[in-house]
Amino acid sequence: MTSPAELESQFTSQFGKDLEVLPEFRGEQSWRVRLNQLHAVMVELKKSGFNYLVDISSVDHLGSDGPRFELVYELFSYQTRDHLRVKSWLEDDEEPVAPTVIDLWRTADWHEREIYDMMGIHFEGHPDLRRILMWDGYPYFPLRKDFPLEGKPTNMPDIAFTRPAPLEGGPFVTSTESQSHRREPRAKKVTS
């Protein structure tokens, strides 16, 4: 097993322009892979010793010049203790589709289902792609940037709120009262 830096030349010669090594940031190595080669790169990374898929996340770049959706895979090797981030842009902004990696890492099951549920990204080849947090039939994707912060009204009163959720009184809303800092638990001194 070699480190991500040592794998760079092997992978860039094998995948050419479909793989871009991004500048190192704070000791973290990241690669950007074209979607059409994403699964093939992941297969080779698994063979190279990246045996743990830590996480998959998605990013909505609504309003930017580039593609709207991006997937970010966090990989780890137990043998060398190396971490590698693999990013990939999705090509279709209306109905984004990406290949599944569940055949390589079983942990991808829940990650891909959550991304599907919250962002509406479909994973081609996933054996059980269904909602994991929202109820079946929910027509929206709550983590997309075009979804309103206060939510949307629903006509299902036994399942969810029937009006938009209020934005007052949440954990990040401050009170206008002058002594509100006393309610902050971290401001209190601990005596032993």
Side-chain angles (χ1 to χ4, degrees), residues 102-153:
I102 197 171
D103 56 322
L104 304 172
W105 298 282
R106 294 291 300 157
T107 57
D109 183 17
W110 290 84
H111 298 303
E112 291 177 355
R113 284 181 61 193
E114 181 182 23
I115 291 169
Y116 164 71
D117 193 10
M118 296 287 106
M119 293 288 269
I121 296 171
H122 293 264
F123 289 90
E124 195 170 63
H126 192 286
D128 187 24
L129 194 62
R130 58 189 161 97
R131 296 203 100 128
I132 194 169
L133 298 169
M134 305 305 289
W135 61 91
D136 289 334
Y138 188 70
Y140 307 110
F141 305 107
L143 289 185
R144 286 188 176 185
K145 284 190 176 177
D146 54 3
F147 189 83
L149 288 176
E150 70 275 4
K152 293 191 178 207

Side-chain angles (χ1 to χ4, degrees), residues 161-172:
F161 293 107
T162 57
R163 63 190 188 295
L167 292 178
E168 59 207 39
F172 304 108

Side-chain angles (χ1 to χ4, degrees), residues 162-187:
T162 57
R163 63 190 188 295
L167 292 178
E168 59 207 39
F172 304 108
V173 179
T174 59
S175 172
T176 57
E177 92 183 16
S178 61
Q179 302 295 322
S180 63
H181 67 279
R182 290 186 180 174
R183 292 190 315 230
E184 172 60 46
R186 293 171 289 183

Side-chain angles (χ1 to χ4, degrees), residues 7-22 31-34 36-38 40-41 44:
L7 289 174
E8 284 180 21
S9 60
Q10 173 194 342
F11 275 72
T12 52
S13 65
Q14 183 177 355
F15 292 100
K17 294 181 180 181
D18 291 330
L19 187 139
E20 174 190 3
V21 176
L22 301 174
W31 295 358
R32 183 172 312 282
V33 178
R34 289 205 178 147
N36 64 344
Q37 291 294 323
L38 179 63
V41 168
E44 293 302 317

Side-chain angles (χ1 to χ4, degrees), residues 29-112:
Q29 184 64 48
S30 298
W31 295 358
R32 183 172 312 282
V33 178
R34 289 205 178 147
L35 189 64
N36 64 344
Q37 291 294 323
L38 179 63
H39 193 269
V41 168
M42 293 303 206
V43 167
E44 293 302 317
L45 285 170
K46 176 80 183 268
K47 289 178 186 175
S48 299
F50 284 95
N51 47 8
Y52 179 46
L53 174 67
V54 179
D55 191 22
I56 308 172
S57 57
S58 57
V59 183
D60 184 352
H61 295 284
L62 181 67
S64 69
D65 293 336
R68 178 174 178 180
F69 297 106
E70 179 181 27
L71 290 174
V72 182
Y73 296 81
E74 306 288 341
L75 303 175
F76 184 75
S77 168
Y78 281 111
Q79 290 83 13
T80 63
R81 315 288 291 167
D82 285 317
H83 175 266
L84 177 64
R85 180 176 296 115
V86 178
K87 300 179 175 187
S88 188
W89 294 105
L90 279 79
E91 297 161 359
D92 188 357
D93 289 351
E94 297 302 317
E95 293 188 27
V97 178
T100 187
V101 293
I102 197 171
D103 56 322
L104 304 172
W105 298 282
R106 294 291 300 157
T107 57
D109 183 17
W110 290 84
H111 298 303
E112 291 177 355

